[in-house]
Amino acid sequence: MITWSSKPLIALAVVTTLAACDDAMDPSTLLAGLASPEDAAKSTVPLTQALMMRGNVTLVPPAGYCIDPASLTQSFALMGRCDALGAADRGASAPVGVMTVSIARSTKSAPLPSAADVAAASAVGAPQDTRKSDTSLVFKTTGTAPAAGLSPQHWRALAKLGRYTIGAALFGPKGHRAVTAEGADLLADMLKRTTAKTNAS
């Protein structure tokens, strides 16, 4: 349980917990190698939503994206364009990208850290183009890409959802739509859909 009052310490605790737990490119290549080999036996049907944290959070991807079922745990999910995950009839107009989402328990009263605190705790570049509300923040930064072909420049998000904190990152090919303002919109859409579905459950 996070009880510190110092925002940098809160940011470090949240990031540490979360870490533990365009169309010219072929989108399927961006997802290659990101799923663990031991998950090969899981369902391969892309998911449009998933129950996480023992059913207390319903994760819903942004428009055009699906959840990779091979990546799914109670606290982590990998998302990509639906057609890249095998749903050929969906997602073709969405930006090519890879989105990761981690969820951790927190206290309802814990304040949302600033973008600068989150960036420092995550050891990424200074935040740019920060978008903040009472319960969420989205910002652009630079850091190590999770796979070849993805730009170091990417978007990150952090949000409070009741007793849980959601951390997300969106990577895309250099110079493509996911690393523009559209990437921030994708993360905001995911947070909006996830919050609405979870609160309605």
Side-chain angles (χ1 to χ4, degrees), residues 16-88:
T16 300
T17 303
L18 291 171
C21 351
D22 215 13
D23 302 342
M25 296 190 64
D26 177 2
S28 63
T29 63
L30 300 180
L31 298 169
L34 293 182
S36 301
E38 61 269 22
D39 290 332
K42 291 186 179 181
S43 169
T44 58
V45 178
L47 305 176
T48 56
Q49 65 179 46
L51 291 175
M52 302 177 72
M53 304 307 287
R54 301 189 181 279
N56 290 303
V57 176
T58 304
L59 179 65
V60 184
Y65 272 50
C66 290
I67 300 166
D68 178 4
S71 72
L72 190 62
T73 71
Q74 284 295 313
S75 60
F76 177 82
L78 176 71
M79 302 184 214
R81 234 171 58 170
C82 293
D83 57 346
L85 293 171

Side-chain angles (χ1 to χ4, degrees), residues 183-200:
D185 294 339
L186 277 176
L187 285 170
D189 188 29
M190 179 275 293
L191 293 174
K192 179 180 178 180
R193 291 168 180 242
T194 297
T195 298
K197 188 67 175 180
T198 298
N199 289 340

